[in-house]
Amino acid sequence: SPTGECQSLPIGKGEVTREGKDFAMAAIGHMVPVAEEACEILRREGLEGTVLNMRFVKPLDRELLERVATGIPVLATLEENVLTGGFGSACLEALSEMGLADRLRIQFGLPDRFIEHGDPNILRRDCGLEPDQVARRMRDLLRVPRT
């Protein structure tokens, strides 16, 4: 909160932090501001994105995920975890049960390999998790010419 007061979060509930019609990014943890920055880059190019701060992997906010995936045909997930068996996988499983699996078009996260120790910014860049890299891959996915 702006006053610095602690607020309790409802367990298993995410929030929409930005609304747009062209694509949506469901993010968790550190990747929420990355999604916000990537959306800002793409907004300057005429693409409007929705950002979901999902907050919880388990329980997953299936209601929010379904509502957004029903209205927006291109969905991405962003996590700073290994993709295998992670947040994106949980989203894909939920969307599959809803008949919306085709909406999840790309998952951003860590590869399933040893990651060296070091500066987190350098490691994120090596894994393609910086805002400009996310924006570039989203632009390519949406088949929009680069400017």
Side-chain angles (χ1 to χ4, degrees):
S1 108
T3 61
E5 295 177 21
C6 291
Q7 295 179 332
S8 64
L9 297 175
I11 301 296
K13 292 295 176 189
E15 67 173 338
V16 176
T17 62
R18 175 190 289 257
E19 296 205 30
K21 62 183 175 25
D22 299 314
F23 63 93
M25 294 184 174
I28 196 102
H30 174 79
M31 297 307 289
V32 174
V34 170
E36 292 279 354
E37 288 182 50
C39 276
E40 187 56 31
I41 291 167
L42 293 168
R43 184 195 63 75
R44 292 191 297 262
E45 299 173 16
L47 292 168
E48 297 293 331
T50 292
V51 174
L52 308 176
N53 176 358
M54 295 299 286
R55 291 189 177 138
F56 298 90
V57 176
K58 190 170 185 175
L60 188 65
D61 191 341
R62 295 169 60 97
E63 181 182 303
L64 178 59
L65 194 60
E66 182 176 24
R67 180 166 42 91
V68 171
T70 299
I72 299 175
V74 176
L75 179 66
T77 59
L78 292 89
E79 62 189 297
E80 196 174 27
N81 301 298
V82 173
L83 288 168
T84 308
F87 168 67
S89 295
C91 290
L92 184 58
E93 185 177 303
L95 290 166
S96 179
E97 291 170 10
M98 298 169 195
L100 297 168
D102 62 323
R103 303 298 171 104
L104 181 50
R105 302 281 299 281
I106 191 166
Q107 296 177 48
F108 294 92
L110 301 177
D112 194 3
R113 63 173 169 77
F114 179 76
I115 305 291
E116 296 285 334
H117 290 274
D119 182 301
N121 295 320
I122 294 171
L123 299 176
R124 279 192 289 273
R125 178 150 302 281
D126 287 347
C127 293
L129 298 180
E130 286 294 305
D132 62 311
Q133 295 170 307
V134 170
R136 181 171 47 267
R137 288 184 66 197
M138 288 302 295
R139 183 187 308 112
D140 290 346
L141 177 68
L142 294 163
R143 293 184 176 81
V144 173
R146 293 181 189 180
T147 55

